[in-house]
Amino acid sequence: MRQEKSMILIEERFFSADHIQHISVESINDEHYSVTINMTGYSTKLGFGIDYVLSKEMAFELRRRIVKAIADYKSGDTPSVQTVDIPTYQEVHPEAENEKS
């Protein structure tokens, strides 16, 4: 059943991979960015709010992960629900860890 396989889970929110039309990274200010997911009929923004903020590198990594989840879904050889984790600062800024040492 195709409908069950079309789901991508991001931040406890489900998105239909079949309805995602475009994913973009947008600047909020010089240091913070958001990822906009344009879907059929609406759009949603990730990366601004109380829970977390995204650096430019984090936003592009999140976009890459979402695109990969869509590709994995369309390939059909992966689990039915694709889970996308929000990248952490340490994942995309390894030099920050080295500066602490």
PDB file of all heavy atoms in Angstrom, residues 28-52:
ATOM      1  N   ILE A  28      17.327  33.919   8.236  1.00  0.00           N
ATOM      2  CA  ILE A  28      16.498  34.670   9.179  1.00  0.00           C
ATOM      3  C   ILE A  28      17.238  35.947   9.561  1.00  0.00           C
ATOM      4  O   ILE A  28      16.668  37.024   9.618  1.00  0.00           O
ATOM      5  CB  ILE A  28      16.187  33.831  10.437  1.00  0.00           C
ATOM      6  CG1 ILE A  28      15.373  32.603  10.046  1.00  0.00           C
ATOM      7  CG2 ILE A  28      15.474  34.662  11.486  1.00  0.00           C
ATOM      8  CD1 ILE A  28      15.179  31.610  11.168  1.00  0.00           C
ATOM      9  N   ASN A  29      18.531  35.801   9.841  1.00  0.00           N
ATOM     10  CA  ASN A  29      19.439  36.922  10.078  1.00  0.00           C
ATOM     11  C   ASN A  29      20.845  36.441   9.721  1.00  0.00           C
ATOM     12  O   ASN A  29      20.990  35.379   9.122  1.00  0.00           O
ATOM     13  CB  ASN A  29      19.333  37.457  11.512  1.00  0.00           C
ATOM     14  CG  ASN A  29      19.662  36.418  12.550  1.00  0.00           C
ATOM     15  OD1 ASN A  29      20.571  35.613  12.392  1.00  0.00           O
ATOM     16  ND2 ASN A  29      18.905  36.422  13.643  1.00  0.00           N
ATOM     17  N   ASP A  30      21.862  37.168  10.074  1.00  0.00           N
ATOM     18  CA  ASP A  30      23.226  36.802   9.675  1.00  0.00           C
ATOM     19  C   ASP A  30      23.689  35.446  10.214  1.00  0.00           C
ATOM     20  O   ASP A  30      24.561  34.822   9.637  1.00  0.00           O
ATOM     21  CB  ASP A  30      24.217  37.876  10.129  1.00  0.00           C
ATOM     22  CG  ASP A  30      24.058  39.168   9.355  1.00  0.00           C
ATOM     23  OD1 ASP A  30      23.456  39.136   8.265  1.00  0.00           O
ATOM     24  OD2 ASP A  30      24.541  40.201   9.843  1.00  0.00           O
ATOM     25  N   GLU A  31      23.121  34.989  11.316  1.00  0.00           N
ATOM     26  CA  GLU A  31      23.592  33.764  11.949  1.00  0.00           C
ATOM     27  C   GLU A  31      22.596  32.619  11.936  1.00  0.00           C
ATOM     28  O   GLU A  31      22.976  31.470  12.152  1.00  0.00           O
ATOM     29  CB  GLU A  31      23.977  34.053  13.401  1.00  0.00           C
ATOM     30  CG  GLU A  31      25.129  35.017  13.537  1.00  0.00           C
ATOM     31  CD  GLU A  31      25.437  35.317  14.994  1.00  0.00           C
ATOM     32  OE1 GLU A  31      24.951  34.581  15.880  1.00  0.00           O
ATOM     33  OE2 GLU A  31      26.155  36.285  15.242  1.00  0.00           O
ATOM     34  N   HIS A  32      21.330  32.895  11.714  1.00  0.00           N
ATOM     35  CA  HIS A  32      20.288  31.879  11.825  1.00  0.00           C
ATOM     36  C   HIS A  32      19.551  31.688  10.505  1.00  0.00           C
ATOM     37  O   HIS A  32      19.270  32.657   9.799  1.00  0.00           O
ATOM     38  CB  HIS A  32      19.310  32.240  12.943  1.00  0.00           C
ATOM     39  CG  HIS A  32      19.981  32.355  14.274  1.00  0.00           C
ATOM     40  ND1 HIS A  32      20.115  33.551  14.915  1.00  0.00           N
ATOM     41  CD2 HIS A  32      20.577  31.431  15.065  1.00  0.00           C
ATOM     42  CE1 HIS A  32      20.756  33.364  16.055  1.00  0.00           C
ATOM     43  NE2 HIS A  32      21.051  32.085  16.162  1.00  0.00           N
ATOM     44  N   TYR A  33      19.220  30.422  10.250  1.00  0.00           N
ATOM     45  CA  TYR A  33      18.569  30.046   8.996  1.00  0.00           C
ATOM     46  C   TYR A  33      17.379  29.144   9.283  1.00  0.00           C
ATOM     47  O   TYR A  33      17.270  28.554  10.359  1.00  0.00           O
ATOM     48  CB  TYR A  33      19.573  29.311   8.089  1.00  0.00           C
ATOM     49  CG  TYR A  33      20.643  30.237   7.569  1.00  0.00           C
ATOM     50  CD1 TYR A  33      21.707  30.645   8.376  1.00  0.00           C
ATOM     51  CD2 TYR A  33      20.577  30.741   6.277  1.00  0.00           C
ATOM     52  CE1 TYR A  33      22.675  31.511   7.913  1.00  0.00           C
ATOM     53  CE2 TYR A  33      21.547  31.612   5.802  1.00  0.00           C
ATOM     54  CZ  TYR A  33      22.591  31.988   6.623  1.00  0.00           C
ATOM     55  OH  TYR A  33      23.540  32.856   6.156  1.00  0.00           O
ATOM     56  N   SER A  34      16.496  29.032   8.309  1.00  0.00           N
ATOM     57  CA  SER A  34      15.362  28.121   8.407  1.00  0.00           C
ATOM     58  C   SER A  34      15.288  27.293   7.128  1.00  0.00           C
ATOM     59  O   SER A  34      15.862  27.653   6.103  1.00  0.00           O
ATOM     60  CB  SER A  34      14.048  28.884   8.614  1.00  0.00           C
ATOM     61  OG  SER A  34      13.736  29.645   7.469  1.00  0.00           O
ATOM     62  N   VAL A  35      14.574  26.189   7.222  1.00  0.00           N
ATOM     63  CA  VAL A  35      14.329  25.336   6.066  1.00  0.00           C
ATOM     64  C   VAL A  35      12.829  25.377   5.811  1.00  0.00           C
ATOM     65  O   VAL A  35      12.030  25.110   6.717  1.00  0.00           O
ATOM     66  CB  VAL A  35      14.797  23.885   6.330  1.00  0.00           C
ATOM     67  CG1 VAL A  35      14.419  22.977   5.173  1.00  0.00           C
ATOM     68  CG2 VAL A  35      16.298  23.853   6.566  1.00  0.00           C
ATOM     69  N   THR A  36      12.452  25.744   4.602  1.00  0.00           N
ATOM     70  CA  THR A  36      11.042  25.794   4.222  1.00  0.00           C
ATOM     71  C   THR A  36      10.721  24.601   3.340  1.00  0.00           C
ATOM     72  O   THR A  36      11.427  24.348   2.357  1.00  0.00           O
ATOM     73  CB  THR A  36      10.715  27.098   3.473  1.00  0.00           C
ATOM     74  OG1 THR A  36      11.023  28.207   4.323  1.00  0.00           O
ATOM     75  CG2 THR A  36       9.247  27.155   3.074  1.00  0.00           C
ATOM     76  N   ILE A  37       9.685  23.871   3.721  1.00  0.00           N
ATOM     77  CA  ILE A  37       9.214  22.743   2.923  1.00  0.00           C
ATOM     78  C   ILE A  37       7.909  23.175   2.274  1.00  0.00           C
ATOM     79  O   ILE A  37       6.914  23.402   2.964  1.00  0.00           O
ATOM     80  CB  ILE A  37       8.997  21.496   3.793  1.00  0.00           C
ATOM     81  CG1 ILE A  37      10.288  21.117   4.522  1.00  0.00           C
ATOM     82  CG2 ILE A  37       8.486  20.332   2.940  1.00  0.00           C
ATOM     83  CD1 ILE A  37      10.124  20.000   5.527  1.00  0.00           C
ATOM     84  N   ASN A  38       7.928  23.314   0.950  1.00  0.00           N
ATOM     85  CA  ASN A  38       6.711  23.650   0.208  1.00  0.00           C
ATOM     86  C   ASN A  38       6.024  22.362  -0.221  1.00  0.00           C
ATOM     87  O   ASN A  38       6.631  21.519  -0.875  1.00  0.00           O
ATOM     88  CB  ASN A  38       7.046  24.490  -1.023  1.00  0.00           C
ATOM     89  CG  ASN A  38       7.560  25.851  -0.647  1.00  0.00           C
ATOM     90  OD1 ASN A  38       6.988  26.521   0.200  1.00  0.00           O
ATOM     91  ND2 ASN A  38       8.648  26.261  -1.252  1.00  0.00           N
ATOM     92  N   MET A  39       4.777  22.246   0.190  1.00  0.00           N
ATOM     93  CA  MET A  39       3.980  21.059  -0.097  1.00  0.00           C
ATOM     94  C   MET A  39       2.789  21.487  -0.952  1.00  0.00           C
ATOM     95  O   MET A  39       2.529  22.671  -1.109  1.00  0.00           O
ATOM     96  CB  MET A  39       3.475  20.440   1.205  1.00  0.00           C
ATOM     97  CG  MET A  39       4.511  20.273   2.273  1.00  0.00           C
ATOM     98  SD  MET A  39       5.155  18.642   2.480  1.00  0.00           S
ATOM     99  CE  MET A  39       3.755  17.633   2.630  1.00  0.00           C
ATOM    100  N   THR A  40       2.095  20.521  -1.463  1.00  0.00           N
ATOM    101  CA  THR A  40       0.876  20.801  -2.203  1.00  0.00           C
ATOM    102  C   THR A  40      -0.107  21.501  -1.265  1.00  0.00           C
ATOM    103  O   THR A  40      -0.552  20.926  -0.288  1.00  0.00           O
ATOM    104  CB  THR A  40       0.248  19.492  -2.725  1.00  0.00           C
ATOM    105  OG1 THR A  40       1.236  18.788  -3.461  1.00  0.00           O
ATOM    106  CG2 THR A  40      -0.963  19.763  -3.595  1.00  0.00           C
ATOM    107  N   GLY A  41      -0.384  22.767  -1.508  1.00  0.00           N
ATOM    108  CA  GLY A  41      -1.376  23.492  -0.737  1.00  0.00           C
ATOM    109  C   GLY A  41      -0.877  24.267   0.476  1.00  0.00           C
ATOM    110  O   GLY A  41      -1.612  25.080   1.013  1.00  0.00           O
ATOM    111  N   TYR A  42       0.327  24.025   0.943  1.00  0.00           N
ATOM    112  CA  TYR A  42       0.828  24.771   2.103  1.00  0.00           C
ATOM    113  C   TYR A  42       2.345  24.623   2.202  1.00  0.00           C
ATOM    114  O   TYR A  42       2.966  23.865   1.483  1.00  0.00           O
ATOM    115  CB  TYR A  42       0.165  24.306   3.398  1.00  0.00           C
ATOM    116  CG  TYR A  42       0.574  22.944   3.880  1.00  0.00           C
ATOM    117  CD1 TYR A  42       1.541  22.792   4.855  1.00  0.00           C
ATOM    118  CD2 TYR A  42      -0.013  21.789   3.360  1.00  0.00           C
ATOM    119  CE1 TYR A  42       1.931  21.554   5.302  1.00  0.00           C
ATOM    120  CE2 TYR A  42       0.369  20.536   3.807  1.00  0.00           C
ATOM    121  CZ  TYR A  42       1.335  20.426   4.768  1.00  0.00           C
ATOM    122  OH  TYR A  42       1.719  19.184   5.210  1.00  0.00           O
ATOM    123  N   SER A  43       2.928  25.376   3.133  1.00  0.00           N
ATOM    124  CA  SER A  43       4.360  25.245   3.406  1.00  0.00           C
ATOM    125  C   SER A  43       4.567  25.306   4.912  1.00  0.00           C
ATOM    126  O   SER A  43       3.708  25.784   5.652  1.00  0.00           O
ATOM    127  CB  SER A  43       5.161  26.334   2.700  1.00  0.00           C
ATOM    128  OG  SER A  43       4.852  27.592   3.243  1.00  0.00           O
ATOM    129  N   THR A  44       5.718  24.812   5.333  1.00  0.00           N
ATOM    130  CA  THR A  44       6.062  24.853   6.742  1.00  0.00           C
ATOM    131  C   THR A  44       7.537  25.198   6.879  1.00  0.00           C
ATOM    132  O   THR A  44       8.326  24.894   6.000  1.00  0.00           O
ATOM    133  CB  THR A  44       5.736  23.508   7.447  1.00  0.00           C
ATOM    134  OG1 THR A  44       5.869  23.664   8.850  1.00  0.00           O
ATOM    135  CG2 THR A  44       6.617  22.398   6.950  1.00  0.00           C
ATOM    136  N   LYS A  45       7.873  25.886   7.979  1.00  0.00           N
ATOM    137  CA  LYS A  45       9.263  26.283   8.228  1.00  0.00           C
ATOM    138  C   LYS A  45       9.785  25.513   9.424  1.00  0.00           C
ATOM    139  O   LYS A  45       9.096  25.345  10.420  1.00  0.00           O
ATOM    140  CB  LYS A  45       9.359  27.780   8.522  1.00  0.00           C
ATOM    141  CG  LYS A  45       9.222  28.644   7.307  1.00  0.00           C
ATOM    142  CD  LYS A  45       9.513  30.092   7.660  1.00  0.00           C
ATOM    143  CE  LYS A  45       9.256  30.978   6.474  1.00  0.00           C
ATOM    144  NZ  LYS A  45      10.459  31.309   5.758  1.00  0.00           N
ATOM    145  N   LEU A  46      11.030  25.083   9.293  1.00  0.00           N
ATOM    146  CA  LEU A  46      11.733  24.412  10.382  1.00  0.00           C
ATOM    147  C   LEU A  46      12.968  25.233  10.721  1.00  0.00           C
ATOM    148  O   LEU A  46      13.598  25.792   9.835  1.00  0.00           O
ATOM    149  CB  LEU A  46      12.171  23.016   9.950  1.00  0.00           C
ATOM    150  CG  LEU A  46      11.088  22.069   9.443  1.00  0.00           C
ATOM    151  CD1 LEU A  46      11.713  20.828   8.841  1.00  0.00           C
ATOM    152  CD2 LEU A  46      10.150  21.700  10.575  1.00  0.00           C
ATOM    153  N   GLY A  47      13.316  25.305  11.991  1.00  0.00           N
ATOM    154  CA  GLY A  47      14.574  25.927  12.355  1.00  0.00           C
ATOM    155  C   GLY A  47      14.494  27.278  13.009  1.00  0.00           C
ATOM    156  O   GLY A  47      15.512  27.923  13.180  1.00  0.00           O
ATOM    157  N   PHE A  48      13.336  27.703  13.367  1.00  0.00           N
ATOM    158  CA  PHE A  48      13.297  28.922  14.158  1.00  0.00           C
ATOM    159  C   PHE A  48      12.251  28.717  15.239  1.00  0.00           C
ATOM    160  O   PHE A  48      11.204  28.156  15.026  1.00  0.00           O
ATOM    161  CB  PHE A  48      12.996  30.162  13.311  1.00  0.00           C
ATOM    162  CG  PHE A  48      11.622  30.204  12.722  1.00  0.00           C
ATOM    163  CD1 PHE A  48      10.625  30.933  13.326  1.00  0.00           C
ATOM    164  CD2 PHE A  48      11.322  29.498  11.565  1.00  0.00           C
ATOM    165  CE1 PHE A  48       9.349  30.980  12.795  1.00  0.00           C
ATOM    166  CE2 PHE A  48      10.059  29.535  11.017  1.00  0.00           C
ATOM    167  CZ  PHE A  48       9.068  30.269  11.630  1.00  0.00           C
ATOM    168  N   GLY A  49      12.612  29.100  16.421  1.00  0.00           N
ATOM    169  CA  GLY A  49      11.717  28.904  17.544  1.00  0.00           C
ATOM    170  C   GLY A  49      12.513  28.707  18.812  1.00  0.00           C
ATOM    171  O   GLY A  49      13.734  28.864  18.842  1.00  0.00           O
ATOM    172  N   ILE A  50      11.836  28.330  19.845  1.00  0.00           N
ATOM    173  CA  ILE A  50      12.448  28.202  21.155  1.00  0.00           C
ATOM    174  C   ILE A  50      13.306  26.938  21.255  1.00  0.00           C
ATOM    175  O   ILE A  50      14.349  26.942  21.878  1.00  0.00           O
ATOM    176  CB  ILE A  50      11.354  28.196  22.246  1.00  0.00           C
ATOM    177  CG1 ILE A  50      10.626  29.534  22.229  1.00  0.00           C
ATOM    178  CG2 ILE A  50      11.941  27.911  23.614  1.00  0.00           C
ATOM    179  CD1 ILE A  50       9.411  29.599  23.099  1.00  0.00           C
ATOM    180  N   ASP A  51      12.889  25.860  20.611  1.00  0.00           N
ATOM    181  CA  ASP A  51      13.563  24.574  20.771  1.00  0.00           C
ATOM    182  C   ASP A  51      14.965  24.539  20.170  1.00  0.00           C
ATOM    183  O   ASP A  51      15.866  23.940  20.740  1.00  0.00           O
ATOM    184  CB  ASP A  51      12.726  23.451  20.177  1.00  0.00           C
ATOM    185  CG  ASP A  51      11.432  23.260  20.940  1.00  0.00           C
ATOM    186  OD1 ASP A  51      11.381  23.636  22.119  1.00  0.00           O
ATOM    187  OD2 ASP A  51      10.474  22.742  20.351  1.00  0.00           O
ATOM    188  N   TYR A  52      15.152  25.130  19.025  1.00  0.00           N
ATOM    189  CA  TYR A  52      16.463  25.116  18.387  1.00  0.00           C
ATOM    190  C   TYR A  52      16.517  26.174  17.294  1.00  0.00           C
ATOM    191  O   TYR A  52      15.491  26.634  16.809  1.00  0.00           O
ATOM    192  CB  TYR A  52      16.784  23.739  17.791  1.00  0.00           C
ATOM    193  CG  TYR A  52      15.865  23.367  16.653  1.00  0.00           C
ATOM    194  CD1 TYR A  52      16.210  23.661  15.342  1.00  0.00           C
ATOM    195  CD2 TYR A  52      14.653  22.736  16.881  1.00  0.00           C
ATOM    196  CE1 TYR A  52      15.367  23.360  14.288  1.00  0.00           C
ATOM    197  CE2 TYR A  52      13.814  22.420  15.843  1.00  0.00           C
ATOM    198  CZ  TYR A  52      14.175  22.725  14.552  1.00  0.00           C
ATOM    199  OH  TYR A  52      13.337  22.420  13.519  1.00  0.00           O
TER     200      TYR A  52
END
